Amino acid sequence: MQFVPRPDADVEANLTEFIRFTRDELSVFGGSEKWGNIVWRQDDTVAVFATKLARLKAYTRTPLAQPFMEFAKAYVKYRYSHRPVRSVGQWLSALRCLEAALFSVHGRADISLLNAVVMDVSAEKCRELFPSETSWLKTGLELKIIFDFCRDKRLVNALPAWKSPFRNKPSLVEVLTSEGAAHRAAKVPDNAVMLKLADLFAAAGDDETKFFSSIMILLMVAPGRISEVLRLSTDCIGWEEGERGEQQMFLRWRAGKGKGWTKKWIIPPMQNVVAEAVKRLVDIGVPARKAAKFAYQYPDTFLPHAACLSSPSDDADRQLTADEFCAALSIRPTVSRARPHGSKVLWSQVRPVGKWVKKLIEEGCTTYGELGKHAGRTYRGRWWPYIDAEKSVFVWDALCLHRENEFRKWATPRHFSWRLPSQCEVNVRFTAAYSHSLFERYGLKNEDGSSIRLTTHQPRHWLSTMSERAGMDEFTLARWAGRAHVEHNRCYDHRTPEERVEVLRHLMIDQTPSVIDRFKCMQPVAYQELGVERLGVAKATLYGMCTHDYAMAPCQKQRECMTCSEHVCIKGDHVTLERIQMLEEQTALLLDRATAAHENGVFGADRWVDNHKWKLAHVRAMRMALEQTSVPDGATLRIPDGHDPSPIQRALIQAGLMAVPQIETLKLPVARLASEGDKGA
């Protein structure tokens, strides 16, 4: 729903109507019922309307001043309704700076007092309230959005155009100073550290080391994020036949930041390692998956386990003794001189672990039935029975699931519990700051004797940099890393300036690069090189190169390149081949739908059947030719001329003034395509 300001109303009336509209008409963040709350929640998004002019902590906050609070809530609610995001923190940071500026200039927080002076002071307040230059940059951009919004919606009097004074600093990845070198060294671990990680995985003898080293191994074999590994399922390993008939391993991977589901291909030398890592994670998580599945099948029922002193199914409503209560919850009672080991446990000696356990003891709700209800509420997440909002993996199918206290030597694992580790829990076990890091436990150190420090995101930088050094093309690297945009590769490319210069030196050669090399690099390719005697440069398409002379006539094929004789495909470019494979799948699907429509008697469907058959035959034939190993890389392929007569030729044929050209029989799955040599002949 859009708020449209009234041109005949003043700014005060528009502001009042805007606040009313968002409060009463929009349903996000609980609708109008939650309007008065200082904290709003919508799924995983939390908005805290607290000022920065007073102490702002997790449990210490002061509300924004009125009437600015009303505008801030309306702005956040309206903007979130049109563009839901995971975090509105930057929006609120900009609003807090604006509130501080209004107080500084006018002595009160009222959005109707916004003017050019307040806009400039807002930027100054940003420097005062936030410490980092990155925060200044992001908050400045959000301030500009707020000012433009107020101007466009006529919520304040005429505002001048405003530009954020904060400028983005050049990326340290490409800076040649010592600061840039230090940044690159901090981001990318050296090969010796990664070999130490492999040694740790091989030497792992306890469950904690096996579990967390396996997670790091999955980050080491293919560039990924820790959040993506934690979302893997137990059946994440898949196999697919390669081009030469060999079996290739991949991981079913859901990449973050909008990329979605993809396949993480595993190189053959690492396939056994990945299989072992997945097996370890599956084995360790068996009890946790059993508990989660039991909680789903039998809601609010306590899981019977070997440590229980009585049967939960038989004594569901009986008040438990302190001994039974501790045994059921895996609680170690307090040991003192008054109560040595082996004696009867008193309720005063039970150490509550968690608020819900303490509450049960205080209220006397110590039955197996109450334990089952509270245990389920404690471990079921917001997206139960799934692990996250995508609802693609059930909790009991999560690969990295484990029980609470699974890796604590001083505590007993809770048999009825399940959980996923956090990024912090993984990081802390591989950093020197952790007194019992896994590297320290197994005596693994850097070559200079210092402690090893490795974070979960460093293997991603390491793999990307090593791939760049090995010559992997940008498109393949972006797909392998699960990135939504190819240009994001540059943020993970930590090659030294000398390495970059060396790559450029190899590109600066005397002889002209081949057609396929120039096509991959989007460099000009002349018509003559594609078998057409005409001056000029061919145009690149999604599937190859177009040799049509646009100076004589516009395109007559309506971008149906794969059935055009003037279109050339070049063997050796996997990007265009994948696009042709996708086009083949789409055309086959359209053919099936058209065939079904024709069988149902839909008028005109027979014409579409013929059209899709003709197109599918050419697309499939071209795909097969490009996949043949006998066709050398760089070969140019096109359909025969007889398959694509020009409009003038069609008119002459219909008038009987020209003989019908000999058309080759195109049969599936084998078809003959004209090559560069045929075209020149």
Side-chain angles (χ1 to χ4, degrees), residues 455-468:
T455 66
T456 57
H457 208 58
Q458 283 182 297
R460 182 173 174 85
H461 287 266
W462 177 75
L463 278 170
S464 294
T465 303
M466 295 295 290
S467 300
E468 295 278 7

Side-chain angles (χ1 to χ4, degrees), residues 111-315:
I111 192 62
S112 62
L113 301 177
L114 179 62
N115 54 30
V117 176
V118 174
M119 296 163 74
D120 292 336
V121 174
S122 297
E124 296 299 325
K125 291 298 179 181
C126 182
R127 288 192 176 95
E128 295 178 11
L129 299 178
F130 301 103
S132 68
E133 295 184 6
T134 302
S135 299
W136 300 348
L137 175 65
K138 295 180 179 180
T139 306
L141 296 175
E142 292 299 332
L143 282 171
K144 184 180 186 306
I145 295 174
I146 294 175
F147 299 152
D148 293 342
F149 180 85
C150 293
R151 185 190 306 110
D152 297 340
K153 299 299 183 182
R154 298 188 71 248
L155 303 181
V156 296
N157 290 318
L159 288 177
W162 187 84
K163 193 174 183 180
S164 173
F166 308 112
R167 295 292 175 266
N168 195 7
K169 296 179 64 176
S171 174
L172 291 176
V173 173
E174 301 172 352
V175 172
L176 302 181
T177 62
S178 58
E179 186 181 6
H183 172 79
R184 289 189 291 271
K187 288 289 185 180
V188 182
D190 56 32
N191 293 341
V193 171
M194 302 308 292
L195 289 175
K196 296 292 184 182
L197 176 60
D199 293 340
L200 179 66
F201 177 77
D206 57 279
D207 284 349
E208 182 181 10
T209 307
K210 289 180 180 180
F211 186 86
F212 289 101
S213 64
S214 296
I215 291 177
M216 292 296 285
I217 286 295
L218 294 180
L219 291 170
M220 180 182 176
V221 297
R225 307 173 182 89
I226 181 60
S227 60
E228 298 167 352
V229 172
L230 298 181
R231 291 197 295 256
L232 290 176
S233 62
T234 52
D235 62 344
C236 59
I237 294 180
W239 295 88
E240 193 171 291
E241 187 173 332
E243 296 180 355
R244 300 179 180 86
E246 74 282 10
Q247 290 295 312
Q248 293 287 345
M249 176 190 283
F250 65 87
L251 294 176
R252 299 180 181 90
W253 198 279
R254 180 156 58 86
K257 298 189 176 180
K259 178 63 177 177
W261 285 100
T262 185
K263 295 178 180 178
K264 286 281 188 181
W265 296 101
I266 308 301
I267 60 175
M270 297 298 294
Q271 290 178 359
N272 292 335
V273 178
V274 171
E276 176 62 23
V278 172
K279 180 180 181 300
R280 291 182 180 182
L281 292 171
V282 170
D283 293 344
I284 293 174
V286 167
R289 295 187 196 94
K290 176 183 176 182
K293 191 63 176 291
F294 181 87
Y296 178 74
Q297 294 175 337
Y298 307 99
D300 299 335
T301 303
F302 191 76
L303 173 69
H305 55 83
C308 290
L309 300 181
S310 57
S311 174
S313 58
D314 298 336
D315 299 329

Side-chain angles (χ1 to χ4, degrees), residues 530-558:
L530 300 177
V532 178
E533 294 301 325
R534 187 192 314 132
L535 295 177
V537 177
K539 287 83 177 170
T541 70
L542 290 174
Y543 313 108
M545 304 290 289
C546 175
T547 62
H548 179 70
D549 188 0
Y550 288 87
M552 297 298 296
C555 176
Q556 303 292 319
K557 300 293 291 185
Q558 300 296 324

Side-chain angles (χ1 to χ4, degrees), residues 511-522:
Q511 61 182 6
T512 303
S514 64
V515 172
I516 183 62
D517 290 336
R518 280 179 286 150
F519 175 68
K520 289 181 178 180
C521 299
M522 294 181 287

